[in-house]
Structure formats: structure tokens, C-alpha cells
Amino acid sequence: MIRKLLHRVFSRKPSASVSTPGTSGAELRIIPRKQHAIPRHHISPCASKVTSELQQAGYSAFVVGGAVRDLLLGLEPKDYDVATNATPEDVRAVFRRSRIIGRRFRLVHVMCGSETVEVSTFRGDSSTDEDNGITANKHADEHGRLLRDNVFGSQKEDAVRRDFTVNALFYDPAKEEIWDYLNGYDDIKAKRLRIIGDPLQRYREDPVRMLRAVRLAAKLGMQIDEATAAPIGDLAPLLRNVPPSRLFDEMLKFLLSGYALASVVDLRARGLHHGLLPMLDVILEQPLGERFITLALKNTDERVRQEKPVSPGFLFAALLWHEVLAQWNIRQASGEKPMLALQQAMDDVLAVQDKELAIPRRYDVIMQEIWAMQLRFLGRGGRRPFRLLEHPRFRAAYDFMLLRCESGEIDPELGQWWEAFQRADAGEREAMLLKDEVPKKRRKRRSRREPVAGDGASPDSSAADAVIS
Ligand code: ATP
Ligand code: MG
């Protein structure tokens, strides 16, 4: 008990050290149950258990961030975060099923059944010079990006270091109170997304906040406040300094949010897609590519909203397809054979993408299979269509090909044929085969080169030319 008391006295720093411009006067407002509309039973049992057991152990503990925001908006939170004045070791001592994670900033994962709640200790502003309370950006790179964010602080400081006012609300499930230091509650009611503090400084500290602004506004149906939106276009290049793995995580959240299309349209309007997916830029400027990506994102959004599984590999394959197509065309024009040209085009695109965005290598295989099968859809004679149907990735590649038809890139007749072929019985399938598609002479020659296409299904170059012209 004495240890806890000492900890509480010494772990807090004076709130005067909060120096984010425009937030130093942050006043706590407590919103009681009769004013807000969060029913207690909507909180996940695990989050209630974690806050209540921490409180019983003498600490303060609140549900915080996205979960409170979503509950106030009548949405179901994806995950729950708890903020407390207990240190990770204290939290670990309270919960048997818990583990400390993270090296730079340590968090605790508390498990109840299949649910996990993330518990973090109130954090302060690590850009502040601790001796004199002014912003010194001691722990920032030359662009102002924060490299350190691991100083314990008070609850108020923890609110101020968050990104948007609507993400800085604390909820106490026991008292059913919302603690609001930054008028986040009013912003939620007004559907206004407002960054905490000085927008320029906050985006420089962490450029990913620009992406979060666009994603959250689309997801929550909020307007980005004018001052919050204004610097986004100009500061977009700062995203290049963000480690690729972090950019990738954010991009995945973005694409699988269920609001990807609205977000991409918004990103584009703000000039932000330049830093997000460098190649998206090139693609969106092509009339065919834009229609294709729009359809791919629309389908993905529908699937996410219907809670159907979505394959990120499929989506990446779609985002990069027109880049592959362009390379493929160039290589064929210089005389390379279709399958070889396609393989090289895929390798080129993946190599650039790997450097720029670090799409993990585990997605390469699915992208390559989907792309390579596009050529194989042209082989509609002999046993080739039968072999293709058995490919484990047939369904994904077929859906992909339908998108190409729908976008106007290829003749819809190809999609219709494959649709009919799948539905047909054995006899009908035989009758559907296009016997003349590949000239005999070439077919003979190709059989010696079969390994290139995986199962030897490469159609001849005239057929391949037809699909990409
Ligand atoms: P969602 O989970 O719906 O994508 P979220 O706001 O919960 O949205 P998380 O990534 O789960 O997003 O972050 C949890 C909380 O951590 C946020 O609500 C916010 O308070 C804080 N946070 C997240 N990212 C940042 C950031 N880049 N800068 C400052 N605070 C952040
Ligand atoms: Mg969250």
C-alpha cells in the first residue's frame, strides 16, 4: 500500500509541463450518466473487469480512446484500451492472465476468455523539456517527428498527447462517468474531428496522424475541422519519413476499414495519396486504373461491412495491377513472350513496392498467383480450363478477372464464358472448349516450355495481346 502511495505521488509530474499550444488551459469536465447515452452493459465484460479490479487495487482506471468514441456514436468498438496510473508492473501484479508487451513503451495485455484488453499507463508529453516546461523536441528527428513517447504522466497529460479530441475521452464504467479535458464530447456531438494542440506541430511529431484524420473522418462520418485539415496537403511529404512497417499497418487499417473508397477519394482531394501508396498515384491518373481500383475498393468495403472475410493480398494485387499491366505491355512491345514478360513485370513491380511500402513478403505469393492466372484465363482449349478450375486460388483470380471485365479493361465475354463454364456439367464443358484458340504449331512448341507457366498453360502471344491491348 505504501509502495502504491509513493508511486502515485512520484509518478505524476506537474500538469504545468503540458505545453502543447492551445491545450494548456484544458479543464476537466465530468459528464454524468444522465447526460451521455452509454449503457453500462454495452461495455465489454473484460474492459469492465479490468477497470474495476484496478480500481479495487487502489488505482484509477478508465476505458479510453476509440472505444469511448465509438460507444458514444452508437458503434461497436473493435477493441478496448484501458488507461491507468498503475505502472505495467503494478498491472501485471493485479492480473494473473496478463503479459507485458512492447519495448519502447511497455503496455500490458490482460486476457479474459478470448478477449484481450490493452492497458497502458498514463503517458506525458515527451517533447517537453522536463526542466523548464517548454517544448524543446529533445526526442524528435530533424523534421520534428517524435522518436520517444514513453514518459509516464498524469491523466490530463495522457489526454493531451492523444491525437484528436474525440479520441481523448475517458470512461469510468463503475461510476458511469465520462471525463473530458478537451471538449471531445461536444466535438462528438457536432461530428467534428479536431486535432489536439497545434496542427502543424502535431503532424510533424507524427505524420501518420494525417492519415488517421482522413480515415477516421470517413469512418465516423465526421467533418475535419478547418484548422485540422488545412496543413494536410502541404505536410504530406513528411509521411516519407515514417518507418514503412508503420505505414503499412496504417494502410491496412485504412483499406480494411469498410470506408476505403470514401477515404481514398478524400486522400486524393487532399493530395495525400502521394505519400501513402506512391504507385496509387500513377494508377489513379489512368482512366482504366481508376475505374478498376474504385470497383475493387467498393467490393472490399461491401464485404467488410457485411463482415465477410477480405484478403489483403487480393486488394494489393488490385491496387498494383495497372502498374503490372503497364510494365507487361512495355516488355511485350519489346518482343518478350507473354508469360515471361508478365513474370518480369510482376517482379519489377513487387521490387519497387517492397522498397516503398514494405508490403510483407507473405503477400507476394497471392499477388503473383492472381496476376499470373490472368493470362491463363485466356487458355480455353484442351485440358487447361479444367486444370485452372482446380487451382486453390481460382476463386480469387476469377473475381479479379471479373473486376477487369467490369472496369472495361477486357471484353466481358471472357468473364461470361468462365461463369458459364463453372456452372456447366461435364458434357456442356466439353462443348464450350475453344479448340482453335491456340494455333497447333505454336502449341507444340509451347509444350516444351511448359514450366514457365506453372502448369504449362500459357496461351500464345496473339491471345495475350488481345487481352492487354
Ligand atoms: P480504430 O481502432 O477504430 O482504428 P482508434 O482511435 O481506437 O481507432 P487505435 O490505433 O486503436 O485507434 O488507437 C487507440 C487510441 O490511441 C486512439 O483513440 C488515440 O487516443 C491514441 N492514438 C492512436 N494513434 C495515435 C497517434 N498517432 N497520435 C496520438 N494518439 C494516438
Ligand atoms: Mg482502437
Side-chain angles (χ1 to χ4, degrees), residues 64-67 69-70 77-81 167 212 215-216 219 253:
V64 68
R69 173 201 73 206
D70 288 351
K78 272 199 318 235
D79 42 43
Y80 279 81
D81 297 316
N167 281 349
R212 288 178 55 85
R215 176 171 67 83
L216 289 173
K219 168 180 160 165
K253 272 192 165 188

Side-chain angles (χ1 to χ4, degrees), residues 324 327-328 331 340-350:
V324 173
Q327 299 285 338
W328 190 19
R331 288 183 170 275
L340 193 62
L342 180 56
Q343 299 279 4
Q344 298 285 357
M346 297 192 306
D347 289 350
D348 292 349
V349 168
L350 289 177

Side-chain angles (χ1 to χ4, degrees), residues 176-213:
E176 296 192 78
E177 288 171 351
I178 291 173
W179 288 33
D180 180 7
Y181 290 91
L182 299 154
N183 291 323
Y185 185 78
D186 289 344
D187 283 341
I188 285 200
K189 296 284 149 203
K191 296 229 156 200
R192 182 170 53 219
L193 194 72
R194 197 158 54 89
I195 200 155
I196 297 167
D198 172 40
L200 281 173
Q201 185 192 329
R202 300 306 310 284
Y203 291 139
R204 285 207 181 100
E205 282 172 8
D206 182 5
V208 166
R209 290 174 185 147
M210 295 186 272
L211 297 178
R212 288 178 55 85

Side-chain angles (χ1 to χ4, degrees), residues 376-401:
R376 294 176 54 188
F377 281 117
L378 299 178
R380 291 186 277 174
R383 304 328 292 161
R384 286 173 294 176
F386 297 94
R387 283 202 295 268
L388 198 53
L389 274 184
E390 281 160 25
H391 194 291
R393 209 77 82 181
F394 173 82
R395 186 73 217 179
Y398 167 71
D399 286 346
F400 194 92
M401 188 260 289

Side-chain angles (χ1 to χ4, degrees), residues 193 199 203 224-233 270:
L193 194 72
Y203 291 139
I224 307 181
D225 163 72
E226 214 175 297
T228 301
I232 292 184
R270 295 179 195 285

Side-chain angles (χ1 to χ4, degrees), residues 432-466:
M432 284 179 73
L433 297 173
L434 306 184
K435 298 197 175 54
D436 294 329
E437 190 185 22
V438 182
K440 275 208 172 71
K441 224 169 78 194
R442 298 191 66 115
R443 201 161 35 189
K444 232 183 191 168
R445 249 196 312 131
R446 177 150 294 97
S447 64
R448 289 203 299 272
R449 300 193 283 115
E450 278 192 353
V452 177
D455 72 354
S458 325
D460 78 335
S461 54
S462 57
D465 286 345

